[in-house]
Amino acid sequence: MAFQTNVLRNGQWVTETVNLQDALGASSSDKPRSDPSLPEAPTLGLITRTVVESPVTRWILPLSIRSSKHQDIAFIGDHFVQISELGNDGQIHQVLRKNGFGPRIRNAAVLGVYSDSGIMNGAVAVDVKSEHSGLRQSRQPAAQWHDSSTSHAGLPPQVLVLILENGDAVFLFLRTRPDSTLEFVVSKHKLPRLIPYIGYHLAVDPSSRYMTASSPEGILIVYELLSWHDLNSRYVKDGTFSPIRRIHFRTVQGLIHNMDFLFPRPEDDYLIILLLIVIRRERANAEPVSRMLTYDWELGDDIKTVFQEEKTGNRLPAEHRMPILLIPLKFKTAFFAVSKYGIGVVKNALSGSPEYERLGSDMPKQTKFHNGKGEPLWTAWTRPARTQMEKNSSEFISGLGHEGDRIYGLYEWLYVKDGRTFSFILVTTKDGRLLIVSLKECEVMTEEGPVRRLKYWTRYKKWVSGPVSSIIGDADGLVFCVDRTLHWEVLDLAEKKLKPMKEYQLDSPAVQLKIVDGKVYALTLTNSLEIIDHRAGTGTAMALVHTDQVARRTIHMLDIGGNVEGSEAGPITLLADYKNGFAGKLEPATMGGCEPTRTVWRVA
């Protein structure tokens, strides 16, 4: 069998007829082996050594790395961290410098108390360490931190986080030596395995309880962090500082172009919201698509479960397909998307239908320092610091005053911890807001002289999907009624949050609650009095103990009298109804089962 092929003869390509056997034989013939010997070493060589480190600064981060009274700034390069202070003279003064991190610094962020926003690391339902500590109000319930200016043994408000090229996380802050000089405190967390380009994106959530690092190729790491209170306690006790509680790995379909944490709405302030801008090719022979993905969860939720779902997300407008910067805003779960040709705002990012709005803004113009043929681009941003007057206290309760809303429940909760009693005000509203507020009496000077004033701090805010008609506090948590459902939530001291325990479905909303001998007395709108053991029952259900045989439209209840010695009868509960009538209900002293209450007298 023969065929024609082109062959190179004497520097020219010619067509020849070749036999198949000859062609196979030629291809299998031995070829001369190349000389394996190494090239001859040159007579001269060049040895290099870094004499002057690159002065290029890649990040400039304002932070309180010593105390809240110092206006410190971190200048971060590839291999150095320079801490400087903005002095009262408006000049930058060097404080301390650190080199020698080994691998190159890939990214940097600030962890802790955000002085520009009053946001505190940690989510504590109630600050139980100091009755009137005056902590700044936070979107997450405030945790307690110790200012190093007053307690040298405690942590500063903020620490610096570095991600190195090998994936290690490095945490740094400054402390004062006994001789009054400063030194760096360094804590390093090694990544279990090497992941290329991890830390290319780095973000810390506003409560500083979570941190994320990712690579452009779609590898995401979520760091669960300890609360600032726990970190400070450990540091004071044994001098150790290890913020990372555990880490979780996740792959994302597509390229991660950008990511950050968002601020939730005030009514959803218990949420942690992570935003990812992901680019992926969804159809063959089509342009890649940019999508906005959001993952939300609460403190303490199982992160593995949170990220199980592969989300589709929402497509971004064409002009913001690849935003240069993401700037989280503190309203409507919104953020600025800063792109090459403009700035847009995205509102309600957590909803299924986010709103996109283009802003009229002037793009940066060329200056005498401009170098290049293209137009300048936005490259960095920072949030300006705002002065927190009187540690963010107020003569009004933050979280109230929404249009159309009204207060339904009001109760003074005496919370006992470690033998000390702390007083809080519990407030609930028609629109489903639940607030825990502390207050302090102070003296304010006026033209007429000193005047007594009350200052309020909103410690905790929760939003539920229904009117909260009543609320009461017990030894370790709260009992409140949402629509017709009675909820019991307990303060989890480990997670520093209210944890749902049990529920009970009432016949109508509870207009008033009280706790007697460990039982909940629920005065309902149309079904009179129900007595419930909120700690008994199977699973998440409460146990009904007593109920009124008559369905009354009641508005108020009051205990009169007391237990009579030698009698099984308890005190009389006086009920008032909408028809100006009164009824006295007598409950057996023994709570041995579901029994009707007995009417001892009634006034119509």
Side-chain angles (χ1 to χ4, degrees):
M1 179 179 178
F3 59 93
Q4 288 186 335
T5 185
N6 292 328
V7 295
L8 188 64
R9 299 291 186 192
N10 300 322
Q12 293 184 350
W13 290 98
V14 297
T15 302
E16 291 185 357
T17 301
V18 181
N19 184 278
L20 179 60
Q21 298 297 327
D22 293 338
L24 293 175
S27 64
S28 62
S29 60
D30 293 337
K31 298 179 181 179
R33 294 185 177 181
S34 60
D35 187 0
S37 60
L38 297 174
E40 185 178 345
T43 56
L44 297 176
L46 182 64
I47 299 177
T48 62
R49 179 182 178 184
T50 302
V51 178
V52 179
E53 189 180 73
S54 171
V56 175
T57 296
R58 301 186 62 210
W59 298 274
I60 302 176
L61 302 177
L63 76 171
S64 300
I65 200 170
R66 289 182 287 170
S67 77
S68 59
K69 297 182 179 180
H70 294 91
Q71 300 184 65
D72 291 331
I73 304 171
F75 296 87
I76 305 160
D78 286 339
H79 295 280
F80 70 88
V81 170
Q82 168 68 51
I83 304 299
S84 300
E85 180 181 10
L86 177 62
N88 294 329
D89 56 358
Q91 301 296 316
I92 300 295
H93 305 276
Q94 290 191 5
V95 176
L96 198 62
R97 184 184 179 94
K98 181 172 178 58
N99 298 2
F101 292 95
R104 189 176 70 92
I105 299 172
R106 176 167 285 153
N107 217 327
V110 176
L111 174 71
V113 180
Y114 285 69
S115 58
D116 64 297
S117 60
I119 290 170
M120 186 71 66
N121 176 305
V124 183
V126 179
D127 174 31
V128 298
K129 291 293 182 181
S130 174
E131 185 175 6
H132 303 300
S133 58
L135 296 178
R136 290 180 284 186
Q137 177 184 329
S138 65
R139 85 156 181 92
Q140 291 281 3
Q144 192 177 41
W145 58 272
H146 295 265
D147 193 331
S148 61
S149 64
T150 58
S151 173
H152 295 288
L155 293 173
Q158 296 173 322
V159 300
L160 184 64
V161 184
L162 308 177
I163 300 294
L164 306 182
E165 277 196 333
N166 63 355
D168 291 353
V170 179
F171 301 88
L172 306 94
F173 61 91
L174 295 182
R175 70 180 174 192
T176 305
R177 295 191 183 103
D179 61 359
S180 298
T181 61
L182 293 173
E183 66 177 351
F184 277 100
V185 177
V186 181
S187 174
K188 182 180 290 188
H189 180 90
K190 287 189 169 294
L191 206 61
R193 58 180 182 268
L194 183 63
I195 300 176
Y197 301 105
I198 196 67
Y200 185 84
H201 302 297
L202 178 65
V204 178
D205 102 274
S207 70
S208 286
R209 291 301 303 270
Y210 295 90
M211 181 175 75
T212 56
S214 71
S215 70
E217 289 77 13
I219 305 297
L220 177 69
I221 299 179
V222 180
Y223 301 83
E224 287 189 59
L225 307 177
L226 294 170
S227 70
W228 209 250
H229 177 270
D230 291 342
L231 289 172
N232 187 77
S233 298
R234 290 188 182 184
Y235 181 72
V236 170
K237 180 180 179 181
D238 53 26
T240 61
F241 182 75
S242 300
I244 297 178
R245 184 178 181 183
R246 63 175 67 93
I247 61 176
H248 307 268
F249 295 87
R250 173 73 155 85
T251 58
V252 177
Q253 293 183 8
L255 301 178
I256 300 178
H257 173 71
N258 213 327
M259 73 173 186
D260 210 333
F261 285 92
L262 300 182
F263 293 94
R265 301 181 305 170
E267 56 265 38
D268 301 328
D269 60 1
Y270 51 86
L271 286 180
I272 309 293
I273 305 174
L274 176 63
L275 169 69
L276 300 176
I277 304 298
V278 175
I279 302 174
R280 57 170 72 125
R281 189 181 299 276
E282 299 181 348
R283 292 182 298 173
N285 303 322
E287 288 292 323
V289 175
S290 295
R291 289 191 176 271
M292 176 185 73
L293 279 61
T294 56
Y295 290 90
D296 63 281
W297 66 94
E298 296 184 33
L299 177 65
D301 285 352
D302 181 23
I303 297 299
K304 184 178 180 181
T305 303
V306 171
F307 286 90
Q308 275 182 346
E309 179 185 0
E310 188 66 41
K311 296 197 174 183
T312 303
N314 299 95
R315 292 188 64 161
L316 291 171
E319 64 268 27
H320 295 301
R321 289 179 61 247
M322 299 180 66
I324 301 171
L325 299 173
L326 298 179
I327 305 177
L329 303 177
K330 298 181 181 179
F331 65 92
K332 294 187 177 180
T333 322
F335 64 92
F336 283 137
V338 181
S339 302
K340 180 178 180 180
Y341 301 108
I343 300 177
V345 62
V346 181
K347 301 177 182 178
N348 300 317
L350 199 57
S351 69
S353 302
E355 304 171 22
Y356 302 97
E357 180 182 342
R358 183 180 177 86
L359 300 181
S361 58
D362 296 329
M363 301 306 291
K365 304 300 181 182
Q366 293 188 9
T367 67
K368 63 180 181 179
F369 304 107
H370 181 266
N371 183 17
K373 297 181 179 180
E375 290 297 320
L377 299 175
W378 301 110
T379 59
W381 71 276
T382 188
R383 198 182 305 273
R386 296 174 175 84
T387 304
Q388 303 292 326
M389 297 301 293
E390 297 181 311
K391 297 185 179 179
N392 223 30
S393 63
S394 172
E395 294 185 5
F396 305 94
I397 297 177
S398 174
L400 297 178
H402 295 266
E403 185 176 356
D405 200 3
R406 59 181 294 188
I407 295 176
Y408 271 3
L410 194 62
Y411 181 79
E412 183 182 11
W413 181 30
L414 299 179
Y415 180 80
V416 180
K417 174 65 177 176
D418 296 333
R420 299 180 62 190
T421 301
F422 305 96
S423 177
F424 299 96
I425 298 176
L426 306 179
V427 187
T428 63
T429 74
K430 181 189 73 173
D431 288 351
R433 293 178 175 87
L434 188 158
L435 291 79
I436 300 177
V437 181
S438 62
L439 68 151
K440 178 182 179 181
E441 181 182 338
C442 61
E443 193 174 81
V444 178
M445 291 300 299
T446 66
E447 295 180 357
E448 289 77 20
V451 178
R452 291 172 59 250
R453 288 286 189 270
L454 294 178
K455 297 291 185 180
Y456 300 93
W457 287 268
T458 301
R459 300 297 188 184
Y460 180 78
K461 292 187 290 185
K462 181 184 181 73
W463 181 83
V464 295
S465 57
V468 188
S469 56
S470 53
I471 189 170
I472 195 169
D474 69 354
D476 51 4
L478 306 178
V479 179
F480 55 94
C481 182
V482 181
D483 198 3
R484 294 190 300 115
T485 304
L486 199 64
H487 297 262
W488 175 40
E489 297 191 357
V490 168
L491 179 59
D492 189 325
L493 295 179
E495 295 293 342
K496 308 298 189 294
K497 62 182 286 188
L498 286 172
K499 187 175 182 180
M501 300 297 291
K502 289 179 179 291
E503 296 181 359
Y504 182 81
Q505 195 72 17
L506 298 168
D507 294 322
S508 60
V511 296
Q512 185 181 351
L513 297 173
K514 67 176 181 177
I515 296 179
V516 179
D517 295 330
K519 308 298 185 294
V520 177
Y521 283 47
L523 186 67
T524 64
L525 182 63
T526 61
N527 297 85
S528 193
L529 178 65
E530 297 184 45
I531 303 177
I532 299 148
D533 191 337
H534 60 298
R535 298 176 183 271
T538 59
T540 59
M542 302 180 187
L544 178 63
V545 179
H546 297 288
T547 184
D548 194 348
Q549 291 178 300
V550 180
R552 313 172 194 273
R553 288 182 56 83
T554 47
I555 58 175
H556 191 64
M557 64 178 169
L558 178 68
D559 282 347
I560 59 176
N563 290 330
V564 179
E565 186 176 355
S567 171
E568 294 185 356
I572 295 176
T573 301
L574 183 64
L575 307 181
D577 61 33
Y578 278 88
K579 297 181 179 180
N580 299 326
F582 297 90
K585 304 299 298 182
L586 182 64
E587 293 77 43
T590 59
M591 300 286 190
C594 181
E595 305 174 25
T597 57
R598 183 158 55 94
T599 303
V600 293
W601 51 266
R602 182 175 181 273
V603 178

